[in-house]
Amino acid sequence: MPYPESLVAPMRAEMVKMGAVELRTVAEVDAALGSASGTALVFVNSVCGCAAGNARPALALALQHRVKPHQVVTVFAGQDLDATARARSYFGEYQPSSPSVALLRDGEVVHFVHRHQIEGKNPHAVAADLIAAFDRMSEVRSEK
Amino acid sequence: MSGHVFHPGHSELHGITVVVETAGALWVGRFHEVTPKGILLHDAGRHEDGAGESREEFLRKVKKFGIRQTHQNALIPEAEVVRISKLGELD
């Protein structure tokens, strides 16, 4: 059952403030991810304080890196159910997890950070993993 | 906003993705609490020994692709538990 909107609004705002585009409908998800070209980061947001409370600041840190995905979008698990399910349909065999981060290149998942990889870690450690993935993504693109 | 925890007063493992080893099976899921009937996991996946892949292979896939959920809620009797580990801390 979704939490009251008043409670999750600050968590949505935190994502928008760092530059993520919030996707709240299936149509918005398809418009953002359906073209399957370029690079995209999908952050699956969550109310969970013990994991998402680290994941959001981690992403904010990672997005300060000089290399980052062309698109940064977010869906909210447990809140925007249809949009989240649709976003997960783009993740291939990666199972639902929230919070989580999927990095896609030309429609394929090239890096995935599950909830268990965020739990107990500080934001800097999670950000370092994301930044390394951004750099690898950049190297692959420059080789093409 | 970040860092706010909505569930104070729970076990240290509350909300953490754990691996629960029993004599004949392996469970992976989000630890909720210990109840009088056992350990309650949410969104759990179960691996049964002898079902094909080894425990190591099952865990390798879980770490890469996540938990293929078989039980929304799983209650594992404490007497059957051999070990509990945090998935994120397993090599």
Side-chain angles (χ1 to χ4, degrees), chain A residues 14 47 49 94-95 114-115 119, chain B residues 2-4 6 15 17 64-65:
Chain A
E14 188 175 352
V47 295
Y94 290 85
Q95 301 297 310
H114 296 278
R115 176 194 175 99
E119 294 163 349
Chain B
S2 285
H4 186 77
F6 290 98
T17 308
K64 179 172 176 60
F65 296 111

Side-chain angles (χ1 to χ4, degrees), chain B residues 3-57:
Chain B
H4 186 77
V5 177
F6 290 98
H7 28 64
H10 279 73
S11 159
E12 176 192 343
L13 287 176
H14 178 82
I16 302 296
T17 308
V18 296
V19 179
V20 180
E21 299 176 49
T22 69
L26 206 59
W27 293 86
V28 185
R30 205 169 67 253
F31 187 102
H32 185 71
E33 63 180 345
V34 179
T35 78
K37 292 184 176 178
I39 294 169
L40 178 60
L41 301 183
H42 290 320
D43 303 328
R46 184 174 193 267
H47 170 272
E48 195 156 349
D49 291 346
E53 64 186 0
S54 66
R55 288 187 176 199
E56 290 74 21
E57 179 65 7

Side-chain angles (χ1 to χ4, degrees), chain A residues 8-29:
Chain A
V8 300
M11 303 174 191
R12 295 186 189 278
E14 188 175 352
M15 296 304 303
V16 172
K17 186 179 176 186
M18 71 178 81
V21 174
E22 192 173 32
L23 309 176
R24 299 184 70 164
T25 68
V26 168
E28 288 173 355
V29 171

